[in-house]
Amino acid sequence: MPELLRYFGRRVPNAEDAADCLGETMTVLWRRRTAVPLEREPARRYAYGVAANVLRESRRGRARQFALTERLIADYDITRDGVVEGQEDSDLTRALSAMRPLDRELVLLVAWEGFGVGEAGAILGLSDQASRARYSRARARLRRTLASSSDD
């Protein structure tokens, strides 16, 4: 399947998207395995046909996601870094930016979205115990970072 990966690699913006498209293509081929021709060249053409459909759907999905993002930014006056215009707290923004992405998302799900720590952890695929420990450490680091920035 390296040739299908190259096919996607030449047509999508990054390697992760190419790998996602290849994974989706392989899933479709597996589900429809009884329809795949037995001979090599017909099977190859069939696989490229599925790949072309996956690519079309991927492009439509990216276009929908981009349009939704732009609409949300306009509707809610949000900057690209996620901070609401006019409510920027540069120390807080810098402190959040310095956090590990998973920790930041856990803290934001609790603080901004109103989830409990266990719920936020479950959303991120963490066990209850792991999410509580991670949240506690993340809050402590955030508190220290904010305290040191206010001392400056």
Side-chain angles (χ1 to χ4, degrees):
M1 292 296 122
E3 59 189 35
L4 282 176
L5 185 58
R6 283 191 299 273
Y7 169 83
F8 289 121
R10 290 187 288 266
R11 289 166 176 80
V12 296
N14 56 54
E16 292 83 6
D17 287 350
D20 286 345
C21 287
L22 178 61
E24 180 62 25
T25 300
M26 298 307 292
T27 300
V28 170
L29 289 172
W30 176 254
R31 274 190 263 140
R32 296 183 186 165
R33 65 187 173 275
T34 58
V36 177
L38 297 175
E39 298 81 33
R40 181 169 170 43
E41 274 310 303
R44 184 172 178 268
R45 285 193 300 275
Y46 186 89
Y48 271 89
V50 169
N53 290 336
V54 166
L55 182 62
R56 262 192 306 282
E57 189 56 37
S58 173
R59 287 178 175 157
R60 279 194 294 267
R62 276 196 305 278
R64 282 190 303 268
Q65 183 179 14
F66 180 76
L68 177 60
T69 300
E70 292 301 309
R71 193 168 68 235
L72 287 171
I73 287 170
D75 288 351
Y76 293 99
D77 199 21
I78 298 174
T79 64
R80 290 227 175 254
D81 63 2
V83 178
V84 177
E85 292 284 355
Q87 296 179 4
E88 289 184 11
D89 177 353
S90 58
D91 290 340
L92 178 58
T93 302
R94 279 193 295 275
L96 287 169
S97 296
M99 295 176 79
R100 287 182 278 180
L102 186 62
D103 291 347
R104 180 178 52 245
E105 187 61 22
L106 181 62
V107 168
L108 293 179
L109 283 170
V110 172
W112 287 359
E113 310 306 331
F115 288 103
V117 175
E119 295 170 318
I123 290 169
L124 299 172
L126 301 170
S127 71
D128 189 57
Q129 183 178 2
S131 62
R132 291 185 190 294
R134 185 178 283 270
Y135 181 72
S136 177
R137 288 191 304 267
R139 274 190 52 196
R141 278 193 301 273
L142 185 59
R143 204 176 298 117
R144 282 193 305 272
T145 303
L146 289 171
S148 70
S149 67
S150 68
D151 293 340
D152 295 339

